[in-house]
Amino acid sequence: LRAREAGKVGAIGYSGDGDGLAWAARVAEFDVLECSINLFDQRALDLVGAKRVLAKRSLGNAPWRDDRRPDRADRAIYWDRMHAMFDAPPTLETAVRFAAWCGVACALVGTSSEAHLAAVVAASAKGPLPEAGAIRERFARVGADWAGVT
């Protein structure tokens, strides 16, 4: 707080999910929240209020790339959620446009591929996803109790 008051930092933030995020969302001193937000991780959207939000895991580990359920736990969670929510796997464009245009300040995407990054930028440039409301409703029906993946 002293650093912000002295002009040494522009914002104070919290990164996390679950109970910690719920607490941080209520703390006036936090300007920015970084939390899991994607097609399969939406609970945070109802918690963050007017805070600036950085959406981590904005592609939800891209479970549509896997032909079978992954062994790694964090990837398997998103695989299971994808199959619970969608009859057919969503596309990269659907995931990007949902995450980038759901009211966050920034949707973080990790990649080492220039081609992948170019595809993400091109998808985001198309603007808000018309079916975002329907996806939010589907999440509310199927995944309302799913915790953010850490």
Side-chain angles (χ1 to χ4, degrees), residues 37-43 45 81-82 84-86 88-91 93-99 102 128-144 146:
I37 295 177
N38 55 63
L39 292 169
F40 326 108
D41 245 340
Q42 299 181 29
R43 286 183 69 193
L45 292 171
R81 290 179 180 189
M82 176 183 72
M85 284 185 67
F86 296 94
T91 63
E93 181 177 314
T94 297
V96 169
R97 291 176 71 191
F98 179 85
C102 66
L129 187 66
E131 61 269 28
I135 291 171
R136 290 281 287 143
E137 289 172 10
R138 189 174 315 139
F139 182 85
R141 284 192 314 272
V142 176
W146 292 341

Side-chain angles (χ1 to χ4, degrees), residues 15 20 31 52 77 82 92 96 102 104 111-112 122-124 136 140 150:
S15 177
D31 306 299
R52 286 181 286 172
I77 289 170
M82 176 183 72
L92 171 72
V96 169
C102 66
V104 301
T111 186
S112 59
S124 179
R136 290 281 287 143
T150 56

Side-chain angles (χ1 to χ4, degrees), residues 49-65:
K51 306 254 187 202
R52 286 181 286 172
V53 176
L54 306 178
K56 68 179 178 176
R57 294 183 181 255
S58 60
L59 299 183
N61 283 345
W64 53 86
R65 297 179 303 173

Side-chain angles (χ1 to χ4, degrees), residues 67-89:
D67 293 332
R68 62 179 181 79
R69 190 176 190 270
D71 293 329
R72 208 173 86 191
D74 64 327
R75 294 184 57 81
I77 289 170
Y78 284 126
W79 167 268
D80 294 341
R81 290 179 180 189
M82 176 183 72
H83 285 280
M85 284 185 67
F86 296 94
D87 293 330

Side-chain angles (χ1 to χ4, degrees), residues 92 109-122:
L92 171 72
V109 176
T111 186
S112 59
S113 163
E114 288 183 36
H116 182 249
L117 184 57
V120 167
V121 170

